[in-house]
Amino acid sequence: MTTMTGAQSLIASLERVGTDVVFGIPGGTILPAYDPLRDSSIRHILMRHEQGAGHAAEGYAHVTGRVGVCFATSGPGATNLVTPIADAFMDSVPLVAITGQVPRAAIGNDAFQEADITGITMPVTKHSYKVMDPDEIPTAIAEAFHIASTGRPGPVVVDIPKDVLTSPTAFDFPSTLNLPGYRPTTKPNRRQIRAAADLVREARRPVLYVGGGVFKARAAHELIALAETIGAPVVTTLMARGAFPDSHPLCLGMPGMHGNYAAVTAMQRADLLINLGARFDDRVTGRLDGFAPDAKVIHADIDPAEIGKNRHADVPIVGDAKSVIVELNKAVLGDNSERGRVDLEQWHSEVERWSRDYPFAYDQSEEGPIKPQYVVERFAEATKGDAIIATGVGQHQMWASQMMPLNRPYSWVTSGGLGTMGFAVPAALGAKVGRPDERVVAIDGDGCFQMTAQELATATLEKIPFTVAILNNSHLGMVRQWQELFYDERYSHVHLPQVPDYVMLAEAYGAVGLRAESVADVDGVIDKAMSVDDRPCVIDFRVDAGEMCFPMVPAGASNDEIIVGPNERPYDGVPQAPNEAYQRREEAAS
Amino acid sequence: MISSHTLSILVENRPGVLARVSGLFARRGFNITSLAVGETEHPDVSRMTVVLSADGKPVEQCMKQLHKLIHVLRVEELPGDASVDREIALIKVGVGVGKRAEVLEIVEIFRAKVSDMDVDALIVEVTGSPDKVRALTDLLEPYGIIELARTGRIALGRGGRGLKAPTLHPVPIESAS
Ligand SMILES: Cc1ncc(C[n+]2csc(CCOP(=O)(O)OP(=O)(O)O)c2C)c(N)n1
């Protein structure tokens, strides 16, 4: 046991739990922690906004599977972290946010820069600590990391008053944790696995519905074996893109509001959904009472509260995705060797027909404006799929998910549950820090980019190279699309005229700035960007502002009402035009 | 009467735990009609008794969400017919000497008691099921209730079985990050 300050104890504790990098911004109350940080092996990356620090820590966590850590001072520093904390909560990202707090005696007095951050974040944290005794720092850190990273991962806030950081304490890192109320069930119940295998045996139209839980359990490898054993087509949700290779013949891509027609329709027609770590989110199910009407459901999740929350589970399985996948695979393999494989030939040919007839489609003419999808495709070509892709939120996010072949796990970094604009730039930065040997490309919208662009300064100064491809449609594109389709083209506050000049802005931040205005420019600027390896590079792709993201299931509609494209209707399902504007557009197109 | 569910929740006795539990009900859209909290036989463990109105979301979802709180140790729904439910009410009735005898008679019938008496008011203390408390309040209403305080329901399941806190045995830290 060594005597030290609370701040030293904090840094020593972080070192003990294996923290190698912290994203943060100092300030009055967290100041004491920044002093021992100088002498620590931990790398601190000075961000330009705490929101950036939080998203960078998330990006780091997404690609490494390790806990992302961020620091902020009390009051405004801490409240700036609220968005990334909520984001991490919705997407189950292991995050530990350490905030300074006003001295103990001042708490509750509306002291300068006081904000009750544990209170503010209570609804969006897995747990939080307000450390009122310096001797409790090591335990709080040990527990925070344990809670953030195990079970269903999530954000944990550790709030430490300034005088707790400055007080002397004996550093005594615990060897055990005492959390009697926290015992996640990881090993699935055998009988449930058996029951699941029986349903698999009966199914003729099974679909594996794979969610982010498969990443959290690091079960992507095992998933391939299970899919092949069952022979079921696989859909990967927005949070699970890359958990199953898009190149695999069984992969149908993303389900949901802007998902592949085949993925959406296979779920609608399925007689069995095998949900592995997904949560029947409304963006996937559409109108719940019209969702997958004939399907029985096996629902495996480490969080029992997800099971049966939105959709009844015929076979609920509480456990982590890896154990469930391994055990279910064993059970089905056993059945197959005893009784032969179930013939799913007819199902496969149906699904293949959907994939073949309704691929993602767009029209790129040589002379016409650049289509955003074309840019994504050219990036796919240029990177050969060998890159980590981060995104913002909006049309570009959907196009990135649709058009970017994702064949490796942990190479997709996006804000799904919260849908946080501004996620891409700092998340890409954090991802690059976590996996410096990977190429990182952020596919961003012009609206999103402007929310966190200041982190380019961080990236330039810290020499964190990544590419930001702005699919610049000079609009809040996704909102514009809704106004076109559902508000009779009454555009309201969605236009973003070309200010700032993104090339000049990039250069002002010390990044490389490039622009593509015509189709002929695209490959050239991508090549140029790929050769930059010592600083960030921003490309302003001036893309077609009128392009809409399809397929689309209108909000609140059943997935059967999927709109395939501006001038295509599905042959099964009930086509339904959302409004006159849509029809006019369609007539014009035909 | 709206049907309701009574939940018995054992929690670690920590600062903030009440806020975590009560906040959860509000933000997950569960309507609670009563919440009572106090220490148990174990000084580190408190019991919360929560009455949930049943017209909201499924109680099972509520219990699962409660379980996710790190400081929640156990959650159980108490079956109405196999549990003992009690609450205490203090009812200050504005009666002077004239009507006092009538009130005392009511108090007698309900096996309640008078805990304080003044020239123009008295405080009736009653323990019982929520129905009993309601019935008594209704009868006292015409005499003029000046103030009323209720503890909220506390309850235990009948029989020898009990909701026990898990024994606190520390687990070794696996690689935490
Ligand atoms: C912080 C935040 N504010 C508002 C929204 C609502 N919203 C969703 S998509 C979108 C438009 C995004 O525009 P842009 O970044 O240009 O991307 P595009 O849709 O054009 O690809 C908006 C405003 C949001 N998701 N997040």
Side-chain angles (χ1 to χ4, degrees):
Chain A
M1 238 186 274
T2 354
T3 308
M4 50 173 74
T5 65
Q8 288 170 322
S9 170
L10 170 65
I11 302 302
S13 301
L14 288 172
E15 288 169 351
R16 279 292 277 271
V17 294
T19 302
D20 59 352
V21 59
V22 168
F23 304 89
I25 301 184
T29 58
I30 191 90
L31 250 177
Y34 272 77
D35 188 68
L37 200 52
R38 280 180 62 118
D39 308 321
S40 167
S41 60
I42 297 171
R43 176 181 182 191
H44 178 275
I45 296 179
L46 175 63
M47 306 297 290
R48 294 300 181 272
H49 190 297
E50 288 83 357
Q51 183 188 359
H55 291 323
E58 287 187 270
Y60 170 95
H62 269 287
V63 300
T64 62
R66 293 156 56 82
V67 176
V69 187
C70 53
F71 273 17
T73 195
S74 63
T79 56
N80 276 348
L81 282 179
V82 171
T83 299
I85 289 170
D87 193 88
F89 186 69
M90 291 292 267
D91 288 343
S92 309
V93 181
L95 177 77
V96 170
I98 294 167
T99 51
Q101 183 53 278
V102 300
R104 283 169 288 187
I107 290 177
N109 287 339
D110 304 315
F112 177 64
Q113 294 195 326
E114 178 179 6
D116 173 15
I117 196 62
T118 50
I120 289 169
T121 57
M122 204 170 273
V124 291
T125 44
K126 186 170 173 187
H127 196 53
S128 52
Y129 291 85
K130 193 157 163 181
V131 186
M132 298 299 276
D133 176 346
D135 295 347
E136 285 170 7
I137 289 173
T139 301
I141 294 298
E143 290 185 2
F145 274 70
H146 178 72
I147 290 169
S149 59
T150 55
R152 179 179 183 171
V156 178
V157 167
V158 182
D159 193 32
I160 315 179
K162 183 171 189 174
D163 62 323
V164 171
L165 289 173
T166 52
S167 298
T169 176
F171 177 69
D172 186 11
F173 197 78
S175 55
T176 57
L177 294 177
N178 202 345
L179 294 165
Y182 180 68
R183 292 179 188 172
T185 307
T186 54
K187 296 282 165 249
N189 179 301
R190 282 177 152 203
R191 263 182 311 174
Q192 297 305 91
I193 293 289
R194 186 60 255 157
D198 290 344
L199 282 192
V200 168
R201 186 92 215 150
E202 284 165 26
R204 294 298 171 269
R205 300 192 305 279
V207 172
L208 279 163
Y209 162 30
V210 171
V214 168
F215 281 146
K216 307 303 189 274
R218 306 200 84 71
H221 181 70
E222 290 74 7
L223 175 63
I224 295 179
L226 178 66
E228 289 175 354
T229 301
I230 301 176
V234 178
V235 304
T236 48
T237 68
L238 183 65
M239 293 320 297
R241 303 286 298 122
F244 188 76
D246 279 336
S247 57
H248 196 287
L250 286 171
C251 193
L252 302 183
M254 179 174 70
M257 184 175 264
H258 294 289
N260 296 51
Y261 179 80
V264 175
T265 306
M267 289 179 98
Q268 285 304 96
R269 301 286 167 269
D271 65 355
L272 177 65
L273 292 178
I274 306 161
N275 176 336
L276 302 167
R279 58 188 178 90
F280 293 108
D281 179 71
D282 54 88
R283 282 299 191 264
V284 166
T285 63
R287 205 182 68 230
L288 205 51
D289 61 14
F291 172 67
D294 305 325
K296 290 200 169 152
V297 169
I298 297 167
H299 191 170
D301 205 299
I302 197 156
D303 178 358
E306 287 305 339
I307 299 176
K309 185 179 80 177
N310 293 338
R311 169 78 181 233
H312 169 75
D314 299 278
V315 178
I317 306 175
V318 180
D320 95 312
K322 193 181 219 150
S323 311
V324 172
I325 289 170
V326 168
E327 293 305 319
L328 185 57
N329 191 37
K330 268 192 226 157
V332 176
L333 273 179
D335 292 353
N336 285 359
S337 68
E338 246 173 65
R339 300 159 65 186
R341 261 181 83 144
V342 182
D343 179 10
L344 301 175
E345 207 46 52
Q346 200 183 332
W347 179 228
H348 284 152
S349 69
E350 250 179 292
V351 169
E352 271 157 32
R353 182 168 61 106
W354 295 326
S355 283
R356 194 179 53 241
D357 292 356
Y358 291 103
F360 293 122
Y362 68 96
D363 261 331
Q364 179 65 71
S365 69
E366 255 170 66
E367 297 305 313
I370 307 173
K371 294 289 182 180
Q373 298 97 320
Y374 178 73
V375 176
V376 178
E377 280 201 326
R378 297 316 298 162
F379 263 104
E381 181 64 29
T383 59
K384 297 272 176 281
D386 203 13
I388 289 171
I389 307 296
T391 79
V393 170
Q395 291 178 314
H396 64 279
Q397 176 189 32
M398 294 296 113
W399 285 317
S401 177
Q402 291 177 348
M403 312 303 292
M404 187 59 82
L406 293 160
N407 295 317
R408 298 179 311 156
Y410 319 110
S411 56
W412 173 248
V413 184
T414 201
S415 165
L418 197 66
T420 309
M421 287 176 69
F423 182 77
V425 170
L429 185 152
K432 181 70 184 177
V433 170
R435 303 243 304 270
D437 297 337
E438 292 279 339
R439 182 186 295 287
V440 177
V441 177
I443 296 186
D444 213 355
D446 46 323
C448 291
F449 177 75
Q450 293 189 64
M451 290 201 181
T452 48
Q454 76 284 346
E455 301 308 342
L456 289 173
T458 312
T460 298
L461 292 169
E462 294 277 341
K463 302 208 177 349
I464 303 167
F466 54 90
T467 303
V468 184
I470 305 177
L471 305 187
N472 177 3
N473 52 15
S474 67
H475 280 86
L476 297 168
M478 186 57 93
V479 183
R480 196 204 67 86
Q481 173 167 346
W482 284 50
Q483 290 177 350
E484 175 169 347
L485 292 176
F486 310 117
Y487 290 86
D488 285 312
E489 296 176 85
R490 285 168 53 82
Y491 299 115
S492 178
H493 301 275
V494 287
H495 188 212
L496 303 176
Q498 296 298 359
V499 173
D501 179 316
Y502 297 107
V503 173
M504 286 169 68
L505 183 74
E507 285 168 357
Y509 278 124
V512 175
L514 301 169
R515 176 170 291 132
E517 283 172 302
S518 69
V519 178
D521 299 340
V522 172
D523 283 353
V525 291
I526 292 177
D527 276 353
K528 226 181 241 167
M530 299 284 109
S531 69
V532 178
D533 61 1
D534 59 345
R535 71 192 84 178
C537 175
V538 176
I539 316 178
D540 176 15
F541 289 98
R542 297 289 175 90
V543 300
D544 186 354
E547 190 68 12
M548 288 204 281
C549 190
F550 287 109
M552 178 174 196
V553 178
S558 152
N559 281 353
D560 284 332
E561 294 162 54
I562 185 168
I563 304 163
V564 178
N567 42 32
E568 266 183 295
R569 291 287 174 73
Y571 30 63
D572 35 9
V574 189
Q576 197 179 79
N579 69 5
E580 286 168 20
Y582 172 78
Q583 270 164 349
R584 275 205 305 283
R585 203 187 147 89
E586 197 186 35
E587 276 157 23
S590 63
Chain B
M1 202 183 98
I2 311 165
S3 73
S4 63
H5 299 279
T6 306
L7 300 184
S8 192
I9 309 164
L10 293 184
V11 299
E12 281 187 78
N13 218 344
R14 304 258 198 155
V17 65
L18 179 61
R20 287 178 201 277
V21 172
S22 57
L24 185 141
F25 291 114
R27 82 173 167 272
R28 295 253 175 211
F30 300 105
N31 301 321
I32 56 172
T33 44
S34 134
L35 187 156
V37 54
E39 266 183 25
T40 61
E41 72 282 4
H42 194 309
D44 295 337
V45 176
S46 290
R47 181 186 301 271
M48 292 188 183
T49 309
V50 175
V51 183
L52 213 58
S53 88
D55 51 350
K57 298 183 168 192
V59 66
E60 189 198 344
Q61 176 61 207
C62 182
M63 293 168 69
K64 286 173 166 179
Q65 293 294 351
L66 283 167
H67 250 305
K68 285 168 66 170
L69 299 178
I70 308 292
H71 290 156
V72 168
L73 301 170
R74 290 271 189 270
V75 184
E76 184 184 56
E77 182 177 4
L78 295 175
D81 52 354
S83 64
V84 176
D85 297 28
R86 291 291 181 271
E87 69 174 300
I88 298 178
L90 297 175
I91 310 163
K92 188 184 288 180
V93 191
V95 284
V97 190
K99 297 260 179 175
R100 199 182 267 165
E102 284 177 37
V103 169
L104 290 178
E105 196 180 329
I106 296 170
V107 167
E108 183 88 352
I109 292 166
F110 274 80
R111 298 198 194 167
K113 62 182 187 186
V114 172
S115 301
D116 185 62
M117 194 182 289
D118 208 336
V119 277
D120 52 359
L122 51 81
I123 295 179
V124 177
E125 176 186 332
V126 62
T127 303
S129 69
D131 284 348
K132 175 176 168 181
V133 173
R134 202 172 305 113
L136 175 60
T137 327
D138 288 349
L139 282 178
L140 293 177
E141 187 71 57
Y143 299 95
I145 293 177
I146 299 172
E147 275 188 307
L148 177 74
R150 294 166 73 155
T151 54
R153 194 183 307 184
I154 57 169
L156 289 179
R158 292 182 191 273
R161 214 184 56 82
L163 190 61
K164 279 269 179 246
T167 41
L168 312 176
H169 54 82
V171 291
I173 303 185
E174 322 122 335
S175 76
S177 61

